[in-house]
Amino acid sequence: MSYIGSLDQGTSSTRFIVFDDAGKIVGQHQLEHTQILPQAGWVEHDAAEIWQRTQDVIAGALKAARISGAELSAIGITNQRETTVVWDKQTGEPLANAIVWQDTRTTDFLNSISKEKQSLITHKTGLAIAPYFSGSKINWLLNHVPAVQEAVKSERALVGTIDSWLLWNLSGGARGGVHLTDVTNASRTLLMNLESLEWDQELLDIFSVPRSILPQIRSSSEIYATTDPAGPVGSAVPIAGILGDQQSAMVGQACFERGESKTTYGTGNFALLNTGTEIVRSKNGLLTTVCFKFGNAPANYALEGSVAVTGSAIQWLRDQLQIISTAPDIEPLAKSVADNGGVYFVPAFSGLFAPYWRNDARGVVVGLTRAATKAHLARAALEAICYQTRDVLDAMSADSGVKLPEMRVDGGITANSLCMQMQADIMGVDVVRPLIIETTALGAAYAAGLAVGVFKDTSELKAKWQEGMRWNADSASQLATSGYQLWKKAISRTLDWLE
Ligand code: ADP
């Protein structure tokens, strides 16, 4: 029996899962970290806290699995993407709070880039001009944090996404940690050229990022380093897989072939479609990104529809409006009414992502009457998750010509059966969840296992995918027809809110 550890560093929590070579979970541990919200539109994490949580969850998961670190054949890392950390390579300390993917502070800077340069960026990177991606976050840190400026001058600054920060720490930190990233994470920075898969000087110039502070770009599956025996693993184990969380879920869902797709329902929603080795440029507001690159094999690309706010709208109902006390409470509340009572909720809290890309949009609740209750709002929130997902999946079909035969899903919200039934009805296709729902963590474990030979090839991994749950589409549902038309109308009401 071989064991593989997967470190899954998400937006709200960090976990370490020990898988056996059949893909079964033998132990895990998970801890949340603080969401720092210094002002409207700003979202930060303390990277030192994330590294502390990482050490704790590794220890906790090894204990739960009743194995020692030395028994792990390999470790994979998957992470919240785009979130940017800058640290001092001598002290090992972060030089500022990490700027999280949801943070919109760099909108004005992006608007100041000329239209000509914006088209160049979009063409070279496959991404949209949005504060979501790392490039403008690095630019902000370089321009606004004196400690970062000093560290750059004295050649002590290193920058990276969370994968780089954790890899550097796990491989020894200030005592010789390696400074690398994988191609899927690099493809979310606005600094990597999609064709060459290298940092692009023209892009680095636009964002004023010195190449010397960036990590080297590697494949998603190869041995990058071994863990520092003095660290939380307690032994020298190969770190052999790195994938951004959404790409990792593609691997965990065994979407290895062109035309295969999955949708992950978490803080935000992310639908990806594998387009093989071809770079497909979207005409409908989707992103083009690297899906995975295993060792020396050519990269596979993906079209991606990213929706900023899905699960976080449920958190908003819980924390800000306090109409539920836990996220799962939304299901019985929404079920207590037969329909949305005409209420539509578009949670455009930080503008709209795909397929609209409107930084000027803000959230709306429309269709209110005297009869509207919190149950209608709860229902509207679940419908919003599904309608936003349909928006991106329709765009995906238009770009690729692929009509999805069914939807492969994963993520926290798939525990909500009402929401998954709504999704099937709104899309008009069956929604299918695999038996192992921890697909994000599983993908990084697969990538690491491939690199060290625990798994032979992707066909072996494909054979492990098993159906766990299926929601059949009801073709008579009004949600897909009149409901969707009203949704589109509600979207139009969010636009042009900010001047
Ligand atoms: P992430 O990896 O982005 O942190 P998860 O996959 O852990 O996200 O999903 C957590 C999100 O799902 C939270 O935003 C939470 O509000 C939402 N969520 C969890 N359980 C449910 C549920 N039963 N119904 C609706 N939303 C849920």
Side-chain angles (χ1 to χ4, degrees):
M1 179 70 72
S2 308
Y3 299 108
I4 301 173
S6 179
L7 174 60
D8 177 3
Q9 204 303 300
T11 309
S12 42
S13 69
T14 306
R15 60 189 158 175
F16 193 75
I17 300 186
V18 179
F19 290 98
D20 67 17
D21 48 20
K24 209 173 110 266
I25 293 174
V26 290
Q28 61 176 312
H29 194 56
Q30 177 168 4
L31 291 170
E32 295 203 354
H33 58 268
T34 316
Q35 304 297 314
I36 304 166
L37 310 168
Q39 50 177 285
W42 291 35
V43 186
E44 301 179 347
H45 290 158
D46 174 359
E49 183 190 9
I50 287 178
W51 168 232
Q52 187 55 54
R53 297 288 176 271
T54 298
Q55 297 173 73
D56 296 343
V57 297
I58 291 174
L62 290 173
K63 197 167 165 217
R66 296 163 189 270
I67 63 164
S68 72
E71 290 173 79
L72 294 172
S73 301
I75 289 176
I77 300 175
T78 178
N79 55 292
Q80 55 167 322
R81 304 173 302 172
E82 299 97 10
T83 298
T84 303
V85 192
V86 52
W87 69 96
D88 183 321
K89 67 180 169 197
Q90 280 170 13
T91 65
E93 291 301 318
L95 292 161
N97 279 336
I99 305 183
V100 177
W101 59 274
Q102 296 147 319
D103 191 293
T104 58
R105 77 183 67 176
T106 58
T107 306
D108 289 344
F109 165 73
L110 290 167
N111 289 341
S112 75
I113 296 175
S114 70
K115 287 280 164 286
E116 196 192 347
K117 281 186 179 161
Q118 291 195 357
S119 325
L120 179 87
I121 296 171
T122 302
H123 182 78
K124 284 194 167 185
T125 66
L127 304 176
I129 306 298
Y132 172 31
F133 306 104
S134 316
S136 66
K137 300 181 196 294
I138 303 177
N139 173 279
W140 192 94
L141 290 161
L142 291 168
N143 279 314
H144 292 85
V145 185
V148 171
Q149 293 161 343
E150 275 162 40
V152 171
K153 238 184 257 154
S154 55
E155 297 180 0
R156 285 179 291 116
L158 297 179
V159 74
T161 36
I162 296 279
D163 55 310
S164 294
W165 166 244
L166 296 178
L167 174 66
W168 186 80
N169 277 294
L170 283 169
S171 60
R175 293 185 315 277
V178 297
H179 187 216
L180 309 172
T181 189
D182 96 299
V183 68
T184 65
N185 276 292
S187 77
R188 314 296 297 185
T189 58
L190 290 173
L191 304 175
M192 190 192 83
N193 185 311
L194 262 191
E195 283 166 21
S196 68
L197 304 178
E198 291 293 347
W199 304 123
D200 184 292
Q201 194 56 48
E202 254 180 316
L203 298 172
L204 297 182
D205 290 344
I206 293 172
F207 290 95
S208 311
V209 177
R211 191 183 283 255
S212 59
I213 65 173
L214 290 167
Q216 202 186 46
I217 302 174
R218 293 287 188 85
S219 81
S220 324
S221 174
E222 62 179 88
I223 298 176
Y224 311 99
T226 52
T227 52
D228 178 4
V233 180
S235 178
V237 173
I239 306 172
I242 300 180
L243 289 151
D245 52 10
Q246 301 310 321
Q247 285 88 341
S248 195
M250 282 293 273
V251 172
Q253 287 266 27
C255 295
F256 298 122
E257 311 291 332
R258 183 193 178 101
E260 292 180 334
S261 77
K262 67 86 207 177
T263 304
T264 299
Y265 295 72
T267 310
N269 264 30
F270 301 88
L272 272 77
L273 172 76
N274 184 330
T275 61
T277 52
E278 189 193 351
I279 296 176
V280 176
R281 293 180 192 280
S282 176
K283 295 187 181 63
N284 296 285
L286 301 177
L287 307 173
T288 307
T289 201
V290 178
C291 192
F292 53 78
K293 179 176 179 351
F294 295 144
N296 292 325
N300 268 57
Y301 293 89
L303 277 170
E304 171 174 321
S306 334
V307 179
V309 179
T310 57
S312 53
I314 311 301
Q315 292 168 351
W316 181 75
L317 294 179
R318 182 193 66 192
D319 303 336
Q320 258 78 7
L321 298 197
Q322 303 181 350
I323 66 171
I324 46 174
S325 49
T326 69
D329 292 347
I330 195 160
E331 188 167 356
L333 178 61
K335 266 194 179 145
S336 69
V337 286
D339 55 39
N340 65 11
V343 177
Y344 287 80
F345 170 30
V346 187
F349 297 152
S350 48
L352 286 166
F353 279 19
Y356 307 102
W357 297 105
R358 292 288 295 257
N359 296 329
D360 59 318
R362 283 299 178 269
V364 298
V365 179
V366 290
L368 290 175
T369 64
R370 183 70 178 77
T373 67
K374 62 183 179 182
H376 294 115
L377 184 59
R379 217 171 163 101
L382 294 180
E383 288 180 3
I385 293 173
C386 304
Y387 282 130
Q388 294 189 96
T389 302
R390 171 155 170 194
D391 286 341
V392 297
L393 291 178
D394 282 359
M396 214 167 248
S397 294
D399 274 336
S400 65
V402 176
K403 169 98 184 72
L404 294 186
E406 57 186 27
M407 280 180 70
R408 271 189 186 187
V409 302
D410 51 58
I413 303 172
T414 64
N416 189 313
S417 221
L418 174 65
C419 189
M420 292 301 104
Q421 185 59 52
M422 286 173 170
Q423 186 69 77
D425 296 346
I426 284 170
M427 278 306 294
V429 296
D430 288 4
V431 168
V432 192
R433 191 177 66 195
L435 202 55
I436 299 176
I437 55 174
E438 302 299 349
T439 53
T440 303
L442 188 62
Y446 280 173
L450 279 173
V452 298
V454 170
F455 307 117
K456 197 161 59 61
D457 53 26
T458 53
S459 336
E460 181 184 345
L461 299 176
K462 223 174 163 57
K464 293 182 192 291
W465 192 94
Q466 284 178 60
E467 181 171 319
M469 186 78 189
R470 177 177 290 263
W471 291 270
N472 298 113
D474 170 8
S475 58
S477 169
Q478 300 289 306
L479 290 177
T481 49
S482 53
Y484 192 55
Q485 279 169 15
L486 284 166
W487 165 258
K488 286 288 195 187
K489 204 165 164 182
I491 286 279
S492 71
R493 299 294 195 262
T494 67
L495 306 178
D496 287 321
W497 187 254
L498 293 195
E499 296 299 327

